[in-house]
Amino acid sequence: MQVYHYFTIIIILAAAFGYFNQRFLKLPRTIGVMIIALLTSLGIVLAATYFPNLFVQTKAMILSIDFYTILMEVMLSFLLFAGSIHIKLNDIKSERVPIIALSTIGVLISTVIVGGMMYWLFQLFGHNISVINCLLFGALISPTDPIAVLGILKSANIPKSLETKISGESLFNDGVAVVLFMAIYEISAVGFANMGISDIALLFLREAGGGILLGTALGSLGTYILKTIDDYSVEVMVTLAMVMGGYWLASALHISGPLSMVVAGIFIGNRGREIGMSSVTEEYIDKFWEMLDEILNAVLFLLIGLELLVIKFENIYILIGIIAIFVVLLARLISVGIPFFLLKKRVKFEQNSFPILVWGGIRGGISVALALALPRHNSGDMFVAITYIIVLFSIIFQGLTIGGLAKKLTAKSAKKSQ
């Protein structure tokens, strides 16, 4: 019953904060909810002297919530499926080269750069953190979050092809980064000496390849079922069962659930939509997943804001976190720049796409969840604090300025062409 009460409180807060933002602040929904939650957390901390019971009870509630489990094992499957079901396969095909390059090579480059620079930074501040743990941090902070930026970019009227690049990269690099994180985590547990290159390659192949194959199988099965019936309520439940059962199966098989959901979502959103849905079913499935996506996003960003109450901050963590913001931005610049300039002669990139791709690499809840999964005794508290600082900067400053940057660059280009 206590879990139900906590869930009720979270939904009430998400609704209240969403209303307040829509009524007064008028910020992008998820960012507005998170900022209000942050301010609420700060208010509770400041009021702790006068209302100690409020602080203790609120902190106990947040501590009882396993953020990693809620996001990675429950919410992520719905969020990725809901995001990918609206992606047009033809758009993905036309932009497949930059999407694959940015979501694979880009993530690997970012992981190595962040890991190497953070190793040097930790040494500078007297923290003897191993290279493998620094690479682990690099992997968890490298995935970008499509949630906070796509709505803003749509209002900035950027080209559809650029929007596809950003959304495709974000959807796929979530899965790639999780696979990379798990692989490095396993290496750190057993030791690099006990794992050969072939073992690492097989681990990647099993996780990523298995996830893509399972997603294809789920999408094919779901499409067949949708094709054989015409009842929108049952068909909505079929997609829901496919996501929940498919993610559970991926976990049981030790393959990438995030990649499975992205592939299954693209399959259902294209082939399933084409041959398996009536216009009524299509409308209900779209509305159901859009609504679920909005609710889960509001809850996710609310929880990110409330996590401020339970994260252990020390002065040295804050200083390293501020420096790490620039490390991550530099890594993003290089990890986008290398594929961008290598592919420039083969792939058509829109005017001003490079700065928008770089600044649009917003970090989000997945990074926080992966950081919280690290053992507390192994510098985990420091990694969590640093990750949280980077994510807050990314969501608030990059999230609130990317739309203005895109509009400014578009207007500047239009002026030059006149």
Side-chain angles (χ1 to χ4, degrees):
M1 186 60 72
Q2 190 178 42
V3 174
Y4 175 76
H5 289 158
Y6 286 165
F7 181 72
T8 301
I9 292 169
I10 289 169
I11 293 295
I12 291 171
L13 288 175
F17 292 173
Y19 172 81
F20 185 85
N21 175 64
Q22 190 68 24
R23 184 75 171 81
F24 301 105
L25 300 182
K26 301 189 184 300
L27 295 172
R29 280 188 293 272
T30 50
I31 298 177
V33 168
M34 193 196 74
I35 289 175
I36 298 170
L38 275 173
L39 294 174
T40 301
S41 298
L42 287 171
I44 292 171
V45 171
L46 294 173
T49 305
Y50 305 99
F51 305 100
N53 286 338
L54 174 64
F55 177 78
V56 171
Q57 290 174 6
T58 307
K59 188 174 180 179
M61 182 188 78
I62 301 303
L63 282 170
S64 70
I65 297 172
D66 187 340
F67 188 90
Y68 176 85
T69 300
I70 286 179
L71 177 56
M72 300 302 293
E73 297 184 16
V74 180
M75 294 174 65
L76 187 60
S77 58
F78 300 110
L79 290 169
L80 291 177
F81 185 86
S84 58
I85 198 174
H86 296 109
I87 295 241
K88 300 302 180 187
L89 190 58
N90 288 335
D91 294 339
I92 287 285
K93 283 181 178 178
S94 63
E95 303 295 339
R96 64 186 181 277
V97 175
I99 288 173
I100 292 170
L102 290 169
S103 62
T104 55
I105 298 171
V107 169
L108 288 169
I109 292 172
S110 175
T111 298
V112 172
I113 292 173
V114 172
M117 294 188 71
M118 290 305 294
Y119 176 76
W120 174 82
L121 185 61
F122 287 133
Q123 296 294 319
L124 187 65
F125 283 94
H127 288 274
N128 190 23
I129 309 294
S130 67
V131 173
I132 195 73
N133 283 335
C134 291
L135 287 173
L136 202 59
F137 175 76
L140 71 86
I141 205 64
S142 290
T144 57
D145 193 328
I147 299 164
V149 71
L150 287 181
I152 305 168
L153 289 178
K154 284 178 183 177
S155 65
N157 295 319
I158 66 168
K160 179 66 178 175
S161 54
L162 179 55
E163 187 181 318
T164 301
K165 287 184 180 74
I166 295 173
S167 59
E169 179 208 357
S170 298
L171 286 167
F172 280 101
N173 77 9
D174 282 349
V176 172
V178 171
V179 170
L180 185 60
F181 176 86
M182 294 302 181
I184 297 174
Y185 189 83
E186 190 165 326
I187 292 170
S188 69
V190 303
F192 190 79
N194 297 319
M195 287 190 74
I197 299 297
S198 60
D199 295 322
I200 298 171
L202 283 173
L203 182 62
F204 272 97
L205 184 62
R206 185 193 72 198
E207 286 273 350
I212 292 170
L213 286 174
L214 178 60
T216 304
L218 288 170
S220 301
L221 177 62
T223 297
Y224 172 77
I225 294 172
L226 295 178
K227 184 180 177 181
T228 56
I229 59 173
D230 186 16
D231 185 317
Y232 70 85
S233 60
V234 176
E235 290 175 87
V236 168
M237 282 192 290
V238 167
T239 61
L240 188 61
M242 186 177 70
V243 171
M244 297 176 74
Y247 205 79
W248 171 80
L249 182 59
S251 178
L253 295 174
H254 302 289
I255 58 179
S256 176
L259 285 176
S260 299
M261 292 303 101
V262 171
V263 173
I266 292 174
F267 206 106
I268 291 295
N270 290 270
R271 184 63 176 166
R273 192 185 298 272
E274 182 183 341
I275 68 170
M277 299 183 198
S278 65
S279 58
V280 174
T281 297
E282 185 176 351
E283 181 182 2
Y284 273 93
I285 285 179
D286 283 343
K287 286 182 177 178
F288 172 81
W289 284 104
E290 285 170 11
M291 192 68 220
L292 190 60
D293 191 39
E294 290 288 342
I295 293 170
L296 292 179
N297 281 329
V299 170
L300 170 59
F301 281 78
L302 170 72
L303 290 176
I304 291 174
L306 295 178
E307 281 289 320
L308 177 67
L309 288 171
V310 298
I311 290 177
K312 182 181 178 182
F313 288 102
E314 294 184 11
N315 291 337
I316 191 66
Y317 296 173
I318 296 172
L319 179 58
I320 295 174
I322 292 171
I323 298 172
I325 290 172
F326 297 97
V327 170
V328 171
L329 289 174
L330 177 62
R332 177 66 181 175
L333 180 70
I334 298 170
S335 64
V336 171
I338 291 175
F340 183 88
F341 289 107
L342 287 176
L343 297 172
K344 201 171 181 181
K345 292 182 179 179
R346 290 184 53 203
V347 176
K348 181 185 177 184
F349 283 95
E350 303 74 15
Q351 197 169 16
N352 302 315
S353 60
F354 182 69
I356 295 173
L357 281 167
V358 171
W359 195 245
I362 296 175
R363 273 63 182 177
I366 289 176
S367 295
V368 176
L370 292 176
L372 288 167
L374 296 173
R376 299 278 74 82
H377 65 273
N378 198 15
S379 304
D381 286 331
M382 180 168 63
F383 281 138
V384 170
I386 294 169
T387 301
Y388 195 77
I389 291 167
I390 294 169
V391 167
L392 287 189
F393 170 85
S394 186
I395 293 174
I396 295 173
F397 289 97
Q398 290 178 255
L400 291 178
T401 58
I402 182 64
L405 174 67
K407 287 180 180 178
K408 186 175 180 179
L409 291 173
T410 302
K412 191 175 180 180
S413 299
K415 191 175 181 181
K416 280 184 179 181
S417 62
Q418 288 178 351

